[in-house]
Amino acid sequence: MQALIDNLDPLLRALGTTVMITLVAGAAALVLGTLVTIARVSPVPVLRGAAFAYVQFFVNVPLLALLLLAVFALPDAGLIMPLTTTAVVVLAVYEAAYVAEAVRSGVNTIPPGQLEAARALGLRLPQVLRLVVVPQALRAVVQPLGNVMIALVMNSALAATVGVVELTSAVNKVNLVEAQPIPIFAGAGLVYMAIALAIGLAAGRIEKKVAISR
């Protein structure tokens, strides 16, 4: 435990990076995933096919492979970004596929009668999606989205493999110096657990507040 206390400053900075990656990538994944869901339920075959291909690609390709590809291949293609930015972008597009699947399951909970009523009132498709479908779908899948965010927190540790100094990377560096793996990595594990529990509790409270009575 003393090893953690002696290196508290760099560990806290690394924890801040982990939290920042989670928040930014999570927000981007939520927006992108919702757009992918809209494309999947749209009446345009091209959009449905593209959204389906997007989801299938990212849920079947390892995140580590995507991170390595982005870090080493994108510069060769002329697209150079800071490592942290690259990690955030990759995590966002990766987790967006899981967000899309979660939101699509929420769309399936909407009674068909509501969609028919919306069309009977003269609402156009964009209005039906914006006013009826998306709000109800998001309210129905708060807990699954919370689980996606928890997975994002855990997946952010893979950013260490491409040189991002987040919590896992900082803990590993401290262990190389202090050579006390049990207290150091146990402490890091407790931090990740605390973040996951906080997300889970927050999702549970939000779910109760926005629950739809059928």
Side-chain angles (χ1 to χ4, degrees):
M1 188 60 66
Q2 187 62 38
L4 293 174
I5 297 175
D6 292 341
N7 296 275
L8 191 58
D9 286 344
L11 290 175
L12 288 177
R13 287 195 297 270
L15 175 59
T17 300
T18 293
V19 173
M20 182 274 294
I21 290 174
T22 300
L23 292 176
V24 177
L30 182 60
V31 173
L32 180 57
T34 302
L35 293 176
V36 172
T37 299
I38 292 173
R40 289 202 69 178
V41 300
S42 74
V44 182
V46 174
L47 288 179
R48 291 202 307 271
F52 176 79
Y54 177 94
V55 172
Q56 292 303 310
F57 176 79
F58 284 105
V59 300
N60 289 292
V61 175
L63 175 58
L64 180 57
L66 294 173
L67 282 169
L68 293 174
L69 182 64
V71 169
F72 294 107
L74 290 183
D76 289 340
L79 183 58
I80 301 176
M81 297 185 294
L83 289 175
T84 302
T85 302
T86 301
V88 168
V89 171
V90 172
L91 284 166
V93 298
Y94 178 81
E95 296 294 342
Y98 294 91
V99 170
E101 287 294 273
V103 177
R104 189 167 70 94
S105 69
V107 172
N108 293 334
T109 66
I110 301 175
Q114 291 193 18
L115 303 181
E116 295 173 2
R119 287 194 292 266
L121 290 173
L123 297 181
R124 302 176 65 182
L125 179 60
Q127 293 175 308
V128 173
L129 291 172
R130 179 169 58 87
L131 301 175
V132 179
V133 175
V134 173
Q136 290 194 70
L138 291 176
R139 291 170 66 183
V141 295
V142 173
Q143 196 62 59
L145 289 177
N147 293 336
V148 173
M149 294 302 110
I150 291 174
L152 172 58
V153 174
M154 305 310 166
N155 286 335
S156 69
L158 289 176
T161 62
V162 294
V164 178
V165 184
E166 45 72 65
L167 183 58
T168 298
S169 174
V171 166
N172 190 48
K173 290 180 179 179
V174 170
N175 181 61
L176 291 176
V177 175
E178 303 290 346
Q180 298 181 35
I182 294 179
I184 291 174
F185 286 106
L190 290 174
V191 172
Y192 279 112
M193 184 179 72
I195 295 175
L197 288 174
I199 294 174
L201 291 173
R205 290 191 175 186
I206 294 173
E207 183 180 38
K208 290 180 180 179
K209 288 184 178 181
V210 301
I212 301 175
S213 299
R214 300 293 187 187

